Amino acid sequence: MKKTIPSKCLAPSILSADFTKLKDEIDSVSKYSGMIHIDVMDNHFVPNLTIGPCVVHSLSKVTNLPLDCHLMVDKPDSLIKSFVESGANLISVHIENNAHLNRTINLIKKEGILAGVAINPSTPVSTLEEILSDVDFVLVMSVNPGFGGQSFIKKSISKIKKLKELIFEEELSVKIEVDGGVSISNLKILKEAGVDWFVAGSSVFSSKSPRDSAKELFEEING
Ligand code: DX5
Ligand code: ZN
């Protein structure tokens, strides 16, 4: 199902949340969040294993926030339907391991939800040229995917600026989502570079007060 997402918003990543109380963790930040970011890892595309559709299904019953599923997996096509049926409202897939990206994006869009393409830190913006007009958003990884709590890669800022220019030149309304190492210390510069949606895992859920951290990020995003 398509849900309304604010034009600029915080997307807390539950990868750094306490998995024994995901509902409480989400509730603590929901006032300041435009969606919830869910990292799906398969131990093939990335060296880690996380969440599948059944967890997404459970979460869809306890929050009204849009569920943003970031698929860091090989062969995403066979998973799309089950994630959508479980309640995913946005799905992003990586460009690096997909020879038929246009088909995958069309599969997501056919399900009536928002489709995004994700790029790793070493993947240039130029690789997006032929797919940009087909997607609703681009997820720019600002760490190497696989784990929360890594340091932000500064080069991502110039990539985001380049992407923003490309979107402008092509007169598209594609959103830019940034993911990895996002915190209050780099949020302003990311916002100026053109980011619309800010994923934040450890800076929210590993902090002393997830609620206060989400509030601080929310205020900087909307300030
Ligand atoms: C990493 C994931 C991120 C991760 C971000 O592969 O895609 O969404 O949860 O965590 P932080 O904000 O701690 O870098
Ligand atoms: Zn992610």
Side-chain angles (χ1 to χ4, degrees):
M1 189 209 301
K2 239 178 212 161
K3 283 193 179 175
T4 316
I5 297 158
S7 59
K8 300 251 176 235
C9 75
L10 175 66
S13 166
I14 57 166
L15 188 62
S16 294
D18 181 342
F19 277 37
T20 64
K21 47 173 189 170
L22 283 179
K23 179 191 181 313
D24 297 347
E25 293 275 72
I26 291 173
D27 284 349
S28 71
V29 298
S30 49
K31 186 174 171 196
Y32 306 109
S33 308
M35 56 182 147
I36 294 296
H37 187 79
I38 301 171
D39 288 307
V40 178
M41 305 184 187
D42 68 346
N43 195 37
H44 290 276
F45 181 61
V46 290
N48 202 355
L49 197 58
T50 57
I51 292 165
C54 56
V55 176
V56 174
H57 180 62
S58 298
L59 296 178
S60 73
K61 292 193 275 187
V62 298
T63 180
N64 288 323
L65 284 171
L67 300 177
D68 170 31
C69 296
H70 175 194
L71 302 194
M72 285 160 276
V73 302
D74 283 341
K75 303 195 183 119
D77 294 16
S78 57
L79 288 171
I80 285 161
K81 214 173 177 59
S82 58
F83 271 98
V84 173
E85 282 169 359
S86 300
N89 306 102
L90 306 89
I91 289 182
S92 56
V93 294
H94 274 261
I95 196 168
E96 293 85 6
N97 59 346
N98 199 324
H100 307 288
L101 187 58
N102 179 273
R103 178 190 293 153
T104 308
I105 294 297
N106 286 337
L107 271 177
I108 301 170
K109 287 176 31 177
K110 232 171 77 189
E111 295 292 338
I113 65 163
L114 298 182
V117 61
I119 57 169
N120 282 340
S122 62
T123 304
V125 166
S126 57
T127 58
L128 293 168
E129 272 171 32
E130 301 304 324
I131 199 73
L132 200 58
S133 59
D134 296 322
V135 299
D136 297 298
F137 66 104
V138 175
L139 185 159
V140 178
M141 287 299 310
S142 40
V143 298
N144 289 299
F147 304 93
Q150 303 180 78
S151 304
F152 179 78
I153 296 172
K154 285 208 182 99
K155 253 186 142 180
S156 318
I157 296 164
S158 55
K159 268 177 83 173
I160 289 163
K161 284 184 185 159
K162 229 184 251 178
L163 174 59
K164 187 78 186 173
E165 264 167 41
L166 191 61
I167 292 169
F168 181 76
E169 276 166 22
E170 308 264 321
E171 297 179 5
L172 299 169
S173 55
V174 173
K175 293 286 187 184
I176 301 178
E177 182 174 33
V178 67
D179 183 7
V182 174
S183 71
I184 199 68
S185 64
N186 54 26
L187 199 129
K188 192 162 181 252
I189 195 157
L190 287 168
K191 187 173 150 186
E192 284 164 3
V195 172
D196 303 293
W197 300 336
F198 302 81
V199 175
S202 53
S203 65
V204 172
F205 290 114
S206 303
S207 72
K208 243 195 308 181
S209 166
R211 185 187 176 279
D212 292 351
S213 303
K215 181 172 189 269
E216 193 181 16
L217 292 166
F218 170 88
E219 282 166 0
E220 186 72 50
I221 292 167
N222 294 292

